[in-house]
Amino acid sequence: MTAVVETELDLFSDEALADPYPLYRRIRDAAPAVRLDRYGVWALGRYEDVRAALNDWQTFTSAEGVALNPASRATTGGLIIATDPPYHDVLRGVLTEKLSPRALRVLRGGLEEQARVLVDAVVDRGEFDAVADLARAFPVQVVLELIGLPAQLADRALAWADAAFNAGGPDVPRTREAMPLLEDQFAYLAKMHKEDLVEGSFGWVIFDAADRGVIARDSVVPLMSAYVTAGLDTTINAISAGVRYFAEHPDQWRMLREDRSLIPSAFNEIVRMESPLQWFSRVTTRDVDVDGVVIPAGQRVLMLYGSANRDERKWGPDADAFDIRRDAMDHIAFGSGVHGCAGQGLARMEGAAVFSALADRVASFSVGEPRRRLNNRIRGLAELPTTVFVG
């Protein structure tokens, strides 16, 4: 058995959130599992260990919540991500048909047209903010329409999503400041009725499942919240990170333009390099041996997606290099196991639609100084001044 490695590393300082990768490397190199004394939790940073834990929900339970503070866990109880089988499977099953490959194929043409219209508008301007004008504008339009919420809710929904992920952090000022917005989201959704939603929309289907007794009535708001929140950030941050990476690696952009079949692997590489969701937590149900380090039962464990997706043990010595030819399909930016992101097919389709539309018009990108968005769980940009050159 390996001795427990304890550290005072703070993954939630402004400096760490701006660039967590050196700290992740220190955690990976220190031990398979490390005790973060500052917050009283454990952390898994190596790819194989994180993936194995995510796939073992019986040992690493989500049923005690996935946030690091009790207030957020109390507010978000009943979310899919905070529920284990068998009820987890019931909740997830409500929208299984809506998110199936067959259903998404029906949406593809409309998504591609929406992406083309938006991309044409920003490219014609020549200069724009790749975050506000592109990365946020597209998915919020798509998600609100699918769920059945009014388009006027866009700014509020974006604020809700940011707050929902911030609220899951430890008890620090950034977390406490997010709680009122998280509560505002739940209060807004609690006032909704089935009749307020377009028939057949995701939201309507959720209410209908409650009407038919498939799910409990008190599961409606958490389920709505899950899709409003999770449906935005992955796509927003992947699109903006992709624009930045392609600006910094023009050879990769030329390669993609010449071979559009690389778009899916490019999307995988973007979310591997900049995992939009950096971590979730679980609680051990028993003493568990992680490569010789024993984590006792009842301990909260951080699954560091962002670290696992840069682990040299998995990705080789060039793990920090951006290469769209890399086979990154088995990244864990969308999680793994029963809690793997239910909407990842939609996120991939949205990303492909935007990058395909950009490839039709843009010969190269130039970006100014990016402004980082600091969030306890989400890694993304707040602003990315962008100039495009058509050709």
Side-chain angles (χ1 to χ4, degrees):
M1 186 172 67
T2 305
V4 173
V5 174
E6 300 182 359
T7 177
E8 286 294 323
L9 287 179
D10 184 0
L11 293 179
F12 300 97
S13 69
D14 286 0
E15 295 76 16
L17 293 177
D19 184 14
Y21 298 110
L23 298 185
Y24 289 162
R25 182 186 288 270
R26 288 171 63 181
I27 288 171
R28 290 196 303 270
D29 290 347
V34 173
R35 173 81 176 177
L36 303 181
D37 289 340
R38 184 181 296 268
Y39 298 111
V41 299
W42 291 74
L44 302 181
R46 300 177 184 176
Y47 176 90
E48 294 297 343
D49 297 326
V50 174
R51 189 178 190 92
L54 290 173
N55 287 331
D56 184 3
W57 64 265
Q58 294 96 335
T59 300
F60 294 90
T61 180
S62 298
E64 294 188 37
V66 295
L68 295 188
N69 68 88
S72 181
R73 291 197 293 270
T75 301
T76 57
L79 289 177
I80 300 178
I81 193 65
T83 309
D84 282 335
Y87 194 54
H88 163 275
D89 301 337
V90 175
L91 291 173
R92 187 166 176 136
V94 170
L95 289 178
T96 294
E97 177 58 30
K98 288 286 187 181
L99 292 168
S100 68
R102 182 180 64 82
L104 291 178
R105 281 194 296 272
V106 174
L107 295 175
R108 186 186 302 276
L111 287 177
E112 290 174 347
E113 176 61 16
Q114 285 177 279
R116 186 192 63 77
V117 170
L118 178 60
V119 165
D120 282 347
V122 297
V123 169
D124 287 344
R125 286 162 49 186
E127 297 181 356
F128 56 93
D129 177 2
V131 179
D133 300 329
L134 180 64
R136 285 180 184 159
F138 181 58
V140 74
Q141 175 186 1
V142 171
V143 168
L144 291 180
E145 183 177 330
L146 287 175
I147 293 176
L149 295 173
Q152 300 92 314
L153 202 64
D155 289 343
R156 201 169 173 186
L158 288 167
W160 285 342
D162 188 73
F165 287 111
N166 252 335
D171 187 15
V172 297
R174 184 178 289 108
T175 303
R176 293 191 290 271
E177 291 165 6
M179 287 301 298
L181 275 171
L182 178 64
E183 292 162 358
D184 177 59
Q185 181 197 51
F186 274 71
Y188 178 93
L189 296 175
K191 294 177 182 177
M192 298 200 71
H193 301 89
K194 183 177 176 181
E195 295 74 23
D196 299 326
L197 299 157
V198 177
E199 184 172 351
S201 66
F202 286 16
W204 188 92
V205 169
I206 291 170
F207 274 95
D208 186 62
D211 288 346
R212 293 183 291 109
V214 175
I215 61 173
R217 179 63 59 181
D218 60 8
S219 293
V220 169
V221 171
L223 199 51
M224 289 276 287
S225 171
Y227 286 100
V228 172
T229 298
L232 296 174
D233 278 83
T234 296
T235 313
I236 290 170
N237 295 309
I239 290 171
S240 52
V243 170
R244 182 183 183 185
Y245 274 115
F246 285 126
E248 295 172 348
H249 301 84
D251 59 316
Q252 301 278 307
W253 182 244
R254 288 192 296 271
M255 195 185 308
L256 182 144
R257 292 195 81 200
E258 292 168 2
D259 183 359
R260 303 300 175 84
S261 71
L262 288 171
I263 289 177
S265 66
F267 187 82
N268 283 332
E269 180 69 348
I270 291 165
V271 297
R272 181 194 73 83
M273 287 288 291
E274 295 289 341
S275 303
L277 178 66
Q278 290 280 292
W279 60 269
F280 265 133
S281 76
R282 304 284 192 269
V283 173
T284 52
T285 59
R286 61 177 178 83
D287 292 358
V288 56
D289 187 324
V290 181
D291 296 335
V293 178
V294 176
I295 304 176
Q299 297 296 297
R300 189 160 292 277
V301 183
L302 290 185
M303 312 292 182
L304 297 177
Y305 296 12
S307 174
N309 280 335
R310 296 280 193 107
D311 184 8
E312 305 84 352
R313 296 160 187 79
K314 164 66 177 176
W315 307 104
D318 66 341
D320 291 329
F322 178 63
D323 182 0
I324 66 172
R325 295 166 299 183
R326 187 195 305 271
D327 181 6
M329 183 173 290
D330 53 352
H331 65 78
I332 53 172
F334 292 114
S336 186
V338 298
H339 288 294
C341 176
Q344 62 181 282
L346 177 61
R348 293 179 192 279
M349 188 179 295
E350 290 176 293
V354 169
F355 287 117
S356 179
L358 286 168
D360 287 341
R361 297 285 312 277
V362 177
S364 63
F365 303 91
S366 175
V367 296
E369 186 65 28
R371 182 164 62 88
R372 178 63 60 186
R373 165 192 176 197
L374 299 185
N375 185 289
N376 287 328
R377 279 195 288 201
I378 293 294
R379 181 162 175 80
L381 298 174
E383 184 178 287
L384 183 64
T386 302
T387 302
V388 292
F389 303 91
V390 298

